[in-house]
Amino acid sequence: MFQSAVEFNIVSFSAAISACENCEKWQEALQLFGVMAWLKMESNVMTCNAMISTCDTGGKWEEALQLFHGMAQSKMEFDSISFVAVIGACDRGGKWEQAWHLFNTMQQCSVESNAVVSNTVMSACEK
C-alpha cells in the first residue's frame, strides 16, 4: 500500500498557504491555518506573513489586521514582509489611516523600511 511521504511541518503548511494565495483561495488557507492550531503547531513569522498576504489577495483586510495583531499578542517579531502584507491589505480595503498607523508602528518596532513598504504606504495614502 502507498504511504504518504509528506511531512507536516511549518514549512509545508507555509508553502500550502502561499499556494492558496496564488489561487486566491483565502478560505482554504484559513482552514490550513486552523489545522496547524489543531495539530498544536506554533506558527512563525513566515506562516503568518503568508496568511496575511493571502487575506490581502482575498480582499480581507480585517482578517489580515487581526492576524497581524495576533502576531503582536504572541510576541512574534515582525519583519518588513509582515508590514508590507498588512499595509497592502489596508490599502486594498481603502483604509489609508490604518496603513499610515502601521507604517508608524513599523518605525517604532525598528523594522527597516524598504522601497516596497514605502510604495505600499504611498499607494494607500493617495486613495
Side-chain angles (χ1 to χ4, degrees):
M1 191 119 219
F2 178 74
Q3 200 172 38
S4 176
V6 175
E7 182 180 339
F8 295 110
N9 60 33
I10 199 76
V11 175
S12 61
F13 273 98
S14 296
I17 289 168
S18 291
C20 289
E21 176 188 6
N22 293 335
C23 298
E24 298 182 12
K25 301 286 186 181
W26 70 270
Q27 291 171 317
E28 287 82 350
L30 199 55
Q31 289 175 346
L32 287 169
F33 202 67
V35 169
M36 284 179 57
W38 182 76
L39 292 172
K40 304 213 184 312
M41 294 178 83
E42 282 192 40
S43 56
N44 62 14
V45 69
M46 180 175 61
T47 307
C48 290
N49 288 348
M51 193 62 231
I52 291 169
S53 292
T54 302
C55 289
D56 173 22
T57 301
K60 300 295 177 184
W61 70 270
E62 292 169 314
E63 288 82 353
L65 199 56
Q66 186 176 18
L67 286 161
F68 184 82
H69 289 308
M71 289 174 72
Q73 289 174 344
S74 65
K75 308 284 189 233
M76 197 176 295
E77 287 195 30
F78 302 113
D79 60 15
S80 62
I81 297 168
S82 310
F83 281 96
V84 84
V86 73
I87 290 170
C90 290
D91 176 21
R92 189 179 300 260
K95 302 296 178 187
W96 71 268
E97 300 98 339
Q98 192 65 41
W100 183 251
H101 173 73
L102 288 162
F103 181 68
N104 289 325
T105 301
M106 180 179 178
Q107 295 172 330
Q108 292 169 0
C109 293
S110 300
V111 175
E112 191 171 326
S113 184
N114 58 39
V116 176
V117 175
S118 298
N119 288 338
T120 306
V121 167
M122 287 189 285
S123 173
C125 291
E126 74 181 3
K127 294 180 180 168

